[in-house]
Amino acid sequence: ILQVNPKPIVATQLADFASCDDIDGVNDGQTLYFGNPLSDYIDDVLGAGQSPTDYTVTFYYNSQSDAEAGLNPIQDLATYQVQTGTYWVRIEN
């Protein structure tokens, strides 16, 4: 039996996320994004047409090549302290 799943897509209305390191009162270059964990943004990444139960969303900080290869994802989305830089998202069905 050959099963072909639809190709996942990133929501087209996904806005850039930006935050300052002044939320927690400690100027250390890290912050929880508006106090919300990265896992709160999975629905935003998938959009209305893709169910989180059907797709796996992982976040990466090191590099785009890590995201493409599925290596070194951010492990604990609930407590990850966001750092200044670019993050990559990988969606798998």
Side-chain angles (χ1 to χ4, degrees):
I1 297 173
L2 176 63
Q3 179 178 354
V4 178
N5 293 320
K7 181 179 178 181
I9 57 169
V10 175
T12 57
Q13 299 300 317
L14 187 62
D16 289 342
F17 296 124
S19 184
C20 294
D21 180 31
D22 61 357
I23 294 173
D24 60 3
V26 179
N27 187 13
D28 60 1
Q30 299 181 356
T31 188
L32 283 173
Y33 188 78
F34 293 129
N36 298 329
L38 286 174
S39 56
D40 282 2
Y41 299 101
I42 291 175
D43 289 339
D44 296 332
V45 169
L46 291 175
Q50 300 176 118
S51 171
T53 59
D54 295 332
Y55 296 88
T56 302
V57 178
T58 47
F59 293 82
Y60 298 83
Y61 179 69
N62 293 333
S63 68
Q64 181 177 343
S65 60
D66 275 1
E68 290 173 350
L71 301 172
N72 305 313
I74 297 170
Q75 294 296 319
D76 190 354
L77 299 180
T79 60
Y80 184 76
Q81 294 287 309
V82 176
Q83 303 173 38
T84 301
T86 301
Y87 288 79
W88 292 268
V89 177
R90 179 183 174 110
I91 304 172
E92 294 180 83
N93 184 341

Coordinates of all heavy atoms in Angstrom, one line a residue:
I1 N 0.9 -1.2 0.0 CA 0.0 0.0 0.0 C 0.9 1.2 0.0 O 1.8 1.4 0.8 CB -0.9 0.0 1.2 CG1 -1.9 -1.2 1.2 CG2 -1.7 1.3 1.3 CD1 -2.7 -1.3 2.5
L2 N 0.7 2.1 -0.9 CA 1.4 3.4 -1.0 C 0.5 4.5 -0.6 O -0.6 4.7 -1.1 CB 1.8 3.6 -2.5 CG 2.5 4.9 -2.8 CD1 3.8 5.0 -2.0 CD2 2.8 5.1 -4.2
Q3 N 0.9 5.2 0.4 CA 0.1 6.3 0.9 C 0.9 7.6 0.7 O 2.1 7.7 1.1 CB -0.2 6.2 2.4 CG -1.0 7.3 3.0 CD -1.3 7.1 4.5 OE1 -1.0 6.1 5.0 NE2 -1.9 8.1 5.1
V4 N 0.3 8.6 0.1 CA 1.0 9.9 -0.2 C 0.3 10.9 0.6 O -0.9 11.1 0.4 CB 1.0 10.2 -1.7 CG1 1.6 11.6 -1.9 CG2 1.6 9.1 -2.5
N5 N 1.0 11.6 1.5 CA 0.4 12.6 2.3 C 0.6 14.0 1.7 O 1.6 14.2 0.9 CB 1.1 12.7 3.7 CG 0.8 11.4 4.5 OD1 -0.3 10.9 4.6 ND2 1.8 10.9 5.2
P6 N -0.3 14.9 1.9 CA -0.2 16.2 1.3 C 1.1 16.9 1.8 O 1.5 16.7 3.0 CB -1.4 16.9 1.7 CG -2.0 16.2 2.8 CD -1.5 14.8 2.7
K7 N 1.7 17.7 1.0 CA 2.8 18.5 1.4 C 2.4 19.6 2.4 O 1.5 20.4 2.1 CB 3.4 19.1 0.1 CG 4.7 19.9 0.4 CD 5.2 20.5 -0.9 CE 6.5 21.3 -0.7 NZ 7.0 21.9 -1.9
P8 N 3.1 19.6 3.5 CA 2.8 20.7 4.5 C 3.2 22.1 4.0 O 4.1 22.2 3.2 CB 3.6 20.3 5.7 CG 4.4 19.1 5.4 CD 4.2 18.8 4.0
I9 N 2.5 23.1 4.4 CA 2.8 24.5 4.0 C 2.9 25.3 5.3 O 2.2 25.1 6.3 CB 1.8 25.0 3.0 CG1 0.4 25.0 3.6 CG2 1.9 24.3 1.7 CD1 -0.6 25.8 2.8
V10 N 3.7 26.4 5.2 CA 3.7 27.4 6.3 C 2.6 28.4 6.0 O 2.4 28.8 4.8 CB 5.0 28.1 6.3 CG1 5.0 29.2 7.4 CG2 6.1 27.1 6.6
A11 N 1.8 28.7 7.0 CA 0.7 29.7 6.8 C 1.3 31.0 6.1 O 2.3 31.5 6.5 CB 0.1 30.0 8.2
T12 N 0.5 31.4 5.2 CA 1.0 32.6 4.4 C 0.9 33.9 5.1 O 1.5 34.9 4.8 CB 0.2 32.7 3.1 OG1 -1.2 32.8 3.4 CG2 0.5 31.5 2.2
Q13 N 0.0 33.9 6.2 CA -0.2 35.2 6.9 C 0.7 35.2 8.2 O 0.5 36.1 9.0 CB -1.6 35.3 7.4 CG -2.6 35.3 6.2 CD -2.3 36.5 5.3 OE1 -2.1 37.6 5.8 NE2 -2.4 36.3 4.0
L14 N 1.7 34.4 8.3 CA 2.6 34.3 9.4 C 3.4 35.6 9.5 O 4.1 36.0 8.6 CB 3.5 33.1 9.3 CG 4.4 32.9 10.5 CD1 3.6 32.6 11.8 CD2 5.3 31.7 10.3
A15 N 3.3 36.4 10.6 CA 4.0 37.6 10.8 C 5.3 37.4 11.4 O 5.5 36.4 12.1 CB 3.1 38.5 11.7
D16 N 6.3 38.3 11.2 CA 7.5 38.2 11.9 C 7.3 38.4 13.4 O 6.4 39.2 13.8 CB 8.5 39.4 11.4 CG 9.0 39.1 10.0 OD1 8.9 38.0 9.5 OD2 9.4 40.1 9.4
F17 N 8.1 37.7 14.2 CA 8.0 37.8 15.6 C 9.2 38.7 16.1 O 10.3 38.4 15.7 CB 8.1 36.5 16.3 CG 6.9 35.6 16.0 CD1 7.1 34.3 15.5 CD2 5.6 36.0 16.2 CE1 6.0 33.5 15.2 CE2 4.5 35.2 16.0 CZ 4.7 33.9 15.4
A18 N 8.9 39.7 16.9 CA 10.0 40.5 17.4 C 9.7 40.8 18.9 O 8.5 41.0 19.2 CB 10.1 41.8 16.6
S19 N 10.7 40.9 19.7 CA 10.5 41.2 21.1 C 11.8 41.8 21.6 O 12.9 41.5 21.1 CB 10.1 39.9 21.9 OG 9.9 40.3 23.2
C20 N 11.7 42.6 22.7 CA 12.8 43.1 23.4 C 13.1 42.3 24.6 O 12.3 41.7 25.2 CB 12.6 44.6 23.7 SG 12.4 45.6 22.3
D21 N 14.4 42.5 25.1 CA 14.8 41.8 26.3 C 14.5 42.6 27.5 O 15.3 42.6 28.5 CB 16.3 41.4 26.2 CG 16.8 40.7 27.4 OD1 16.0 40.0 28.0 OD2 18.0 40.9 27.8
D22 N 13.4 43.3 27.6 CA 13.1 44.1 28.8 C 11.8 43.6 29.5 O 11.4 44.2 30.4 CB 12.9 45.5 28.4 CG 11.8 45.8 27.4 OD1 11.1 44.8 27.0 OD2 11.5 46.9 27.0
I23 N 11.3 42.4 29.0 CA 10.1 41.9 29.6 C 10.3 41.4 31.0 O 9.6 41.6 32.0 CB 9.5 40.8 28.7 CG1 9.0 41.5 27.4 CG2 8.3 40.1 29.4 CD1 8.5 40.5 26.4
D24 N 11.4 40.6 31.2 CA 11.7 40.0 32.5 C 12.6 40.9 33.4 O 12.9 40.5 34.5 CB 12.4 38.7 32.3 CG 13.7 38.7 31.6 OD1 14.1 39.8 31.2 OD2 14.2 37.6 31.4
G25 N 13.0 42.1 32.9 CA 13.8 43.0 33.7 C 15.3 42.7 33.8 O 16.0 43.3 34.5
V26 N 15.7 41.6 33.1 CA 17.1 41.2 33.1 C 17.7 41.4 31.7 O 17.2 40.7 30.8 CB 17.3 39.7 33.6 CG1 18.7 39.3 33.6 CG2 16.6 39.5 35.0
N27 N 18.7 42.2 31.5 CA 19.3 42.4 30.2 C 20.3 41.4 29.9 O 21.5 41.6 30.1 CB 19.8 43.8 30.2 CG 20.3 44.2 28.8 OD1 20.0 43.5 27.8 ND2 21.1 45.3 28.7
D28 N 19.9 40.2 29.6 CA 20.8 39.1 29.3 C 20.8 38.6 27.9 O 21.4 37.6 27.5 CB 20.6 37.9 30.3 CG 19.1 37.4 30.1 OD1 18.4 37.9 29.3 OD2 18.8 36.4 30.9
G29 N 20.1 39.3 27.0 CA 20.0 38.8 25.6 C 19.0 37.7 25.3 O 19.0 37.2 24.2
Q30 N 18.3 37.3 26.3 CA 17.3 36.2 26.2 C 16.0 36.6 26.8 O 15.9 37.4 27.8 CB 17.8 35.0 26.8 CG 19.1 34.4 26.3 CD 19.5 33.1 26.9 OE1 18.9 32.7 27.9 NE2 20.5 32.6 26.4
T31 N 14.9 36.1 26.3 CA 13.6 36.4 26.8 C 12.6 35.3 26.4 O 12.8 34.7 25.3 CB 13.1 37.8 26.4 OG1 11.9 38.1 27.1 CG2 12.8 37.9 24.9
L32 N 11.6 35.1 27.2 CA 10.4 34.3 26.7 C 9.6 35.3 25.8 O 9.3 36.4 26.2 CB 9.6 33.8 27.8 CG 10.1 32.6 28.6 CD1 9.2 32.3 29.8 CD2 10.2 31.4 27.7
Y33 N 9.3 34.8 24.6 CA 8.6 35.7 23.7 C 7.2 36.1 24.2 O 6.3 35.3 24.3 CB 8.5 35.0 22.3 CG 8.0 36.0 21.3 CD1 8.8 36.9 20.7 CD2 6.6 36.0 20.9 CE1 8.3 37.8 19.8 CE2 6.1 36.8 20.0 CZ 7.0 37.8 19.4 OH 6.5 38.7 18.5
F34 N 7.1 37.3 24.7 CA 5.9 37.8 25.3 C 5.4 36.9 26.4 O 4.2 36.8 26.6 CB 4.8 38.1 24.2 CG 5.1 39.2 23.3 CD1 5.0 39.0 21.9 CD2 5.5 40.4 23.7 CE1 5.3 40.0 21.0 CE2 5.7 41.5 22.9 CZ 5.6 41.2 21.5
G35 N 6.3 36.2 27.0 CA 5.9 35.3 28.1 C 5.3 34.0 27.6 O 4.8 33.2 28.3
N36 N 5.2 33.8 26.2 CA 4.6 32.6 25.7 C 5.7 31.7 25.2 O 6.6 32.1 24.6 CB 3.7 33.0 24.5 CG 2.5 33.9 24.9 OD1 2.0 33.8 26.0 ND2 2.1 34.8 24.0
P37 N 5.5 30.4 25.4 CA 6.4 29.4 24.8 C 6.3 29.3 23.3 O 5.3 29.6 22.7 CB 6.0 28.1 25.5 CG 4.6 28.3 25.9 CD 4.4 29.7 26.1
L38 N 7.4 28.8 22.7 CA 7.4 28.6 21.2 C 6.2 27.7 20.8 O 5.7 27.8 19.7 CB 8.7 28.0 20.8 CG 9.9 29.0 20.8 CD1 11.2 28.2 20.4 CD2 9.7 30.1 19.8
S39 N 5.9 26.7 21.7 CA 4.8 25.8 21.3 C 3.5 26.5 21.1 O 2.6 26.0 20.3 CB 4.6 24.8 22.4 OG 4.4 25.4 23.6
D40 N 3.3 27.8 21.6 CA 2.1 28.5 21.4 C 1.9 29.0 19.9 O 0.9 29.4 19.5 CB 2.0 29.7 22.3 CG 1.6 29.4 23.7 OD1 1.4 28.2 24.0 OD2 1.5 30.3 24.5
Y41 N 3.0 28.9 19.2 CA 3.0 29.5 17.8 C 2.8 28.4 16.7 O 2.8 28.7 15.6 CB 4.3 30.3 17.5 CG 4.4 31.4 18.5 CD1 5.2 31.4 19.6 CD2 3.6 32.5 18.3 CE1 5.2 32.4 20.5 CE2 3.6 33.6 19.2 CZ 4.4 33.5 20.3 OH 4.4 34.6 21.2
I42 N 2.7 27.1 17.2 CA 2.5 26.0 16.2 C 1.2 26.2 15.4 O 1.2 26.1 14.2 CB 2.5 24.7 17.0 CG1 3.9 24.4 17.5 CG2 2.0 23.5 16.0 CD1 4.0 23.1 18.3
D43 N 0.1 26.6 16.0 CA -1.1 26.9 15.3 C -0.9 28.0 14.3 O -1.5 28.0 13.2 CB -2.3 27.2 16.2 CG -2.7 26.0 17.0 OD1 -2.5 24.8 16.6 OD2 -3.4 26.2 18.1
D44 N -0.2 29.0 14.7 CA 0.1 30.1 13.7 C 0.9 29.7 12.5 O 0.6 30.1 11.4 CB 0.9 31.3 14.4 CG 0.1 31.9 15.6 OD1 -1.2 31.9 15.5 OD2 0.7 32.4 16.5
V45 N 1.9 28.8 12.8 CA 2.7 28.3 11.7 C 1.9 27.4 10.7 O 2.0 27.5 9.5 CB 3.9 27.5 12.3 CG1 4.6 26.7 11.2 CG2 4.9 28.4 13.0
L46 N 1.0 26.6 11.3 CA 0.2 25.7 10.5 C -1.0 26.4 9.8 O -1.4 26.0 8.7 CB -0.3 24.5 11.3 CG 0.7 23.5 11.8 CD1 0.1 22.5 12.7 CD2 1.4 22.9 10.7
G47 N -1.5 27.4 10.4 CA -2.6 28.1 9.8 C -3.9 27.3 10.0 O -3.9 26.2 10.7
A48 N -5.0 27.8 9.5 CA -6.3 27.2 9.8 C -6.5 25.8 9.1 O -7.3 25.0 9.5 CB -7.4 28.2 9.4
G49 N -5.8 25.6 8.0 CA -6.1 24.4 7.2 C -5.4 23.2 7.5 O -5.6 22.1 6.9
Q50 N -4.4 23.2 8.5 CA -3.6 22.1 8.8 C -3.8 21.8 10.3 O -3.5 22.7 11.1 CB -2.2 22.3 8.5 CG -2.0 22.5 7.0 CD -0.5 22.8 6.6 OE1 0.1 22.1 5.9 NE2 0.0 23.9 7.2
S51 N -4.1 20.6 10.7 CA -4.3 20.2 12.1 C -3.0 19.8 12.8 O -2.2 19.1 12.2 CB -5.3 19.0 12.2 OG -5.3 18.6 13.5
P52 N -2.7 20.3 14.0 CA -1.5 19.9 14.7 C -1.4 18.4 15.0 O -0.3 17.9 15.2 CB -1.6 20.7 16.0 CG -2.6 21.8 15.8 CD -3.5 21.3 14.7
T53 N -2.6 17.7 14.9 CA -2.5 16.3 15.1 C -2.0 15.6 13.9 O -1.6 14.4 14.0 CB -3.9 15.7 15.5 OG1 -4.8 16.1 14.5 CG2 -4.4 16.3 16.8
D54 N -2.0 16.2 12.7 CA -1.6 15.6 11.5 C -0.1 16.0 11.1 O 0.5 15.4 10.2 CB -2.5 15.9 10.3 CG -3.9 15.4 10.5 OD1 -4.0 14.3 11.2 OD2 -4.8 16.0 10.0
Y55 N 0.4 17.0 11.7 CA 1.7 17.6 11.4 C 2.6 17.7 12.6 O 2.1 18.0 13.7 CB 1.5 19.0 10.7 CG 0.8 18.9 9.4 CD1 -0.6 19.0 9.4 CD2 1.5 18.7 8.2 CE1 -1.3 18.9 8.2 CE2 0.8 18.6 7.0 CZ -0.6 18.7 7.0 OH -1.3 18.7 5.8
T56 N 3.9 17.6 12.3 CA 4.9 17.8 13.4 C 5.6 19.1 13.0 O 6.1 19.2 11.9 CB 5.9 16.6 13.4 OG1 5.2 15.4 13.6 CG2 6.9 16.8 14.5
V57 N 5.6 20.0 14.0 CA 6.3 21.3 13.8 C 7.5 21.3 14.8 O 7.3 21.1 16.0 CB 5.4 22.4 14.1 CG1 6.1 23.8 14.0 CG2 4.2 22.4 13.1
T58 N 8.7 21.5 14.3 CA 9.9 21.6 15.1 C 10.6 23.0 14.8 O 10.5 23.5 13.7 CB 10.8 20.5 14.9 OG1 11.0 20.3 13.5 CG2 10.3 19.2 15.5
F59 N 11.2 23.5 15.8 CA 11.9 24.8 15.7 C 13.4 24.6 15.9 O 13.8 23.7 16.6 CB 11.4 25.7 16.9 CG 10.0 26.2 16.7 CD1 9.0 25.4 17.2 CD2 9.6 27.4 16.2 CE1 7.6 25.7 17.1 CE2 8.3 27.8 16.1 CZ 7.3 27.0 16.5
Y60 N 14.1 25.4 15.1 CA 15.6 25.3 15.1 C 16.2 26.6 15.3 O 15.7 27.6 14.8 CB 16.1 24.6 13.8 CG 15.6 23.3 13.6 CD1 14.3 23.0 13.1 CD2 16.3 22.2 13.9 CE1 13.8 21.7 12.9 CE2 15.9 20.9 13.8 CZ 14.6 20.7 13.3 OH 14.1 19.4 13.1
Y61 N 17.4 26.7 16.0 CA 18.1 27.9 16.2 C 19.4 27.9 15.5 O 19.9 28.9 15.0 CB 18.2 28.2 17.7 CG 19.0 29.5 17.9 CD1 18.4 30.7 17.6 CD2 20.3 29.5 18.4 CE1 19.1 31.9 17.8 CE2 21.0 30.7 18.6 CZ 20.4 31.9 18.3 OH 21.0 33.1 18.4
N62 N 20.1 26.7 15.4 CA 21.5 26.7 15.0 C 21.7 27.1 13.5 O 22.5 27.9 13.2 CB 22.1 25.3 15.2 CG 22.2 24.9 16.6 OD1 22.3 25.8 17.5 ND2 22.1 23.7 17.0
S63 N 20.9 26.5 12.6 CA 21.1 26.8 11.2 C 19.9 26.2 10.3 O 19.2 25.3 10.8 CB 22.4 26.2 10.7 OG 22.3 24.8 10.7
Q64 N 19.8 26.7 9.1 CA 18.8 26.2 8.2 C 19.2 24.8 7.8 O 18.3 24.0 7.6 CB 18.8 27.1 6.9 CG 17.8 26.6 5.9 CD 17.6 27.6 4.7 OE1 18.1 28.7 4.8 NE2 17.0 27.1 3.7
S65 N 20.5 24.5 7.7 CA 20.8 23.1 7.3 C 20.4 22.1 8.4 O 20.0 21.0 8.1 CB 22.3 23.0 7.0 OG 23.1 23.4 8.1
D66 N 20.5 22.5 9.7 CA 20.0 21.6 10.7 C 18.5 21.4 10.5 O 18.0 20.3 10.7 CB 20.2 22.2 12.1 CG 21.6 21.9 12.7 OD1 22.4 21.3 12.0 OD2 21.9 22.4 13.8
A67 N 17.7 22.5 10.2 CA 16.3 22.3 10.0 C 16.0 21.4 8.9 O 15.1 20.6 8.9 CB 15.7 23.7 9.8
E68 N 16.7 21.6 7.8 CA 16.5 20.8 6.6 C 16.8 19.3 6.8 O 16.1 18.4 6.3 CB 17.3 21.3 5.4 CG 16.8 22.6 4.9 CD 17.7 23.2 3.8 OE1 18.8 22.8 3.6 OE2 17.2 24.2 3.2
A69 N 17.8 19.0 7.7 CA 18.2 17.7 8.0 C 17.5 17.1 9.2 O 17.6 15.9 9.5 CB 19.7 17.6 8.2
G70 N 16.8 17.9 9.9 CA 16.1 17.5 11.1 C 17.0 17.2 12.3 O 16.7 16.4 13.1
L71 N 18.1 18.0 12.3 CA 19.1 17.8 13.4 C 19.1 18.9 14.4 O 18.9 20.1 14.1 CB 20.5 17.7 12.8 CG 20.8 16.7 11.8 CD1 22.2 16.9 11.1 CD2 20.7 15.3 12.4
N72 N 19.3 18.6 15.7 CA 19.4 19.6 16.8 C 18.2 20.5 16.9 O 18.3 21.7 17.0 CB 20.7 20.4 16.6 CG 21.9 19.6 16.5 OD1 22.1 18.7 17.3 ND2 22.7 19.9 15.5
P73 N 17.0 20.0 16.9 CA 15.8 20.9 17.2 C 15.8 21.4 18.6 O 16.4 20.8 19.5 CB 14.6 19.9 16.9 CG 15.1 18.6 17.3 CD 16.6 18.6 16.9
I74 N 15.1 22.5 18.8 CA 14.9 23.0 20.2 C 14.0 21.9 20.9 O 12.9 21.6 20.4 CB 14.2 24.4 20.1 CG1 15.1 25.4 19.4 CG2 13.9 24.8 21.5 CD1 14.5 26.7 19.1
Q75 N 14.5 21.4 22.0 CA 13.8 20.3 22.7 C 12.6 20.7 23.5 O 11.6 20.1 23.5 CB 14.9 19.6 23.5 CG 15.9 18.9 22.7 CD 15.4 17.8 21.8 OE1 14.5 17.0 22.2 NE2 15.9 17.8 20.6
D76 N 12.8 21.7 24.3 CA 11.7 22.1 25.3 C 11.1 23.5 24.9 O 11.6 24.5 25.3 CB 12.3 22.2 26.7 CG 11.2 22.3 27.8 OD1 10.0 22.5 27.4 OD2 11.6 22.3 29.0
L77 N 10.1 23.4 24.1 CA 9.5 24.6 23.6 C 8.8 25.4 24.7 O 8.6 26.6 24.5 CB 8.4 24.3 22.5 CG 9.0 23.6 21.2 CD1 7.8 23.3 20.3 CD2 10.1 24.4 20.6
A78 N 8.4 24.8 25.8 CA 7.7 25.5 26.8 C 8.6 26.4 27.6 O 8.1 27.4 28.1 CB 7.0 24.5 27.8
T79 N 9.9 26.1 27.7 CA 10.8 26.9 28.6 C 11.9 27.5 27.8 O 12.8 28.1 28.4 CB 11.3 26.1 29.8 OG1 12.0 25.0 29.3 CG2 10.2 25.6 30.6
Y80 N 12.0 27.3 26.5 CA 13.1 27.8 25.7 C 13.2 29.3 25.8 O 12.2 30.0 25.5 CB 13.0 27.3 24.3 CG 14.2 27.8 23.5 CD1 15.4 27.1 23.6 CD2 14.2 28.8 22.6 CE1 16.6 27.5 22.9 CE2 15.3 29.2 21.8 CZ 16.5 28.5 22.0 OH 17.6 28.9 21.3
Q81 N 14.3 29.9 26.2 CA 14.5 31.3 26.2 C 15.0 31.8 24.8 O 16.1 31.4 24.4 CB 15.6 31.7 27.2 CG 15.2 31.3 28.7 CD 14.2 32.3 29.2 OE1 14.4 33.5 29.1 NE2 13.2 31.8 29.8
V82 N 14.1 32.5 24.2 CA 14.4 33.0 22.8 C 15.6 33.9 22.8 O 15.7 34.8 23.7 CB 13.1 33.7 22.3 CG1 13.4 34.3 20.9 CG2 12.0 32.8 22.2
Q83 N 16.5 33.8 21.9 CA 17.6 34.6 21.8 C 17.5 35.4 20.5 O 16.8 35.1 19.6 CB 18.9 33.7 21.7 CG 19.0 32.8 22.9 CD 20.2 31.8 22.7 OE1 21.2 32.2 22.2 NE2 20.0 30.6 23.2
T84 N 18.3 36.5 20.4 CA 18.3 37.3 19.2 C 18.9 36.5 18.1 O 19.9 35.8 18.2 CB 19.2 38.5 19.4 OG1 18.7 39.3 20.5 CG2 19.3 39.4 18.2
G85 N 18.2 36.5 17.0 CA 18.7 35.7 15.8 C 17.5 35.2 15.0 O 16.4 35.6 15.2
T86 N 17.8 34.3 14.0 CA 16.9 33.7 13.1 C 16.5 32.3 13.6 O 17.4 31.6 14.0 CB 17.4 33.7 11.7 OG1 17.8 35.0 11.3 CG2 16.4 33.1 10.7
Y87 N 15.2 32.0 13.5 CA 14.8 30.7 13.9 C 14.2 30.0 12.6 O 13.6 30.7 11.8 CB 13.7 30.7 15.0 CG 14.3 31.1 16.3 CD1 14.6 32.4 16.6 CD2 14.6 30.1 17.2 CE1 15.2 32.7 17.8 CE2 15.1 30.4 18.5 CZ 15.4 31.7 18.8 OH 16.0 32.0 20.0
W88 N 14.3 28.7 12.5 CA 13.8 28.0 11.4 C 12.7 27.1 11.9 O 12.8 26.6 13.0 CB 14.9 27.2 10.6 CG 15.8 28.1 9.9 CD1 15.8 28.5 8.6 CD2 17.0 28.7 10.5 NE1 16.8 29.4 8.4 CE2 17.6 29.5 9.5 CE3 17.6 28.7 11.7 CZ2 18.8 30.2 9.7 CZ3 18.8 29.4 11.9 CH2 19.4 30.1 10.9
V89 N 11.7 26.8 11.1 CA 10.6 25.9 11.4 C 10.6 24.8 10.4 O 10.7 25.1 9.2 CB 9.3 26.7 11.5 CG1 8.2 25.7 11.8 CG2 9.3 27.8 12.4
R90 N 10.4 23.6 10.9 CA 10.3 22.4 10.0 C 8.9 21.8 10.2 O 8.5 21.6 11.4 CB 11.4 21.4 10.3 CG 11.3 20.1 9.4 CD 12.4 19.2 9.9 NE 12.3 17.9 9.2 CZ 13.1 17.5 8.3 NH1 14.2 18.2 7.9 NH2 12.9 16.3 7.7
I91 N 8.2 21.6 9.1 CA 6.8 21.0 9.2 C 6.9 19.7 8.5 O 7.3 19.6 7.3 CB 5.7 21.9 8.6 CG1 5.8 23.3 9.2 CG2 4.4 21.3 8.7 CD1 4.9 24.3 8.5
E92 N 6.4 18.6 9.2 CA 6.4 17.3 8.5 C 5.0 16.7 8.7 O 4.3 16.9 9.7 CB 7.4 16.4 9.2 CG 8.8 16.8 9.0 CD 9.8 15.8 9.7 OE1 10.1 14.7 9.1 OE2 10.2 16.1 10.8
N93 N 4.6 16.0 7.7 CA 3.3 15.3 7.7 C 3.6 13.8 7.8 O 4.2 13.2 7.0 CB 2.5 15.6 6.4 CG 1.1 15.0 6.4 OD1 0.8 14.1 7.1 ND2 0.3 15.5 5.5

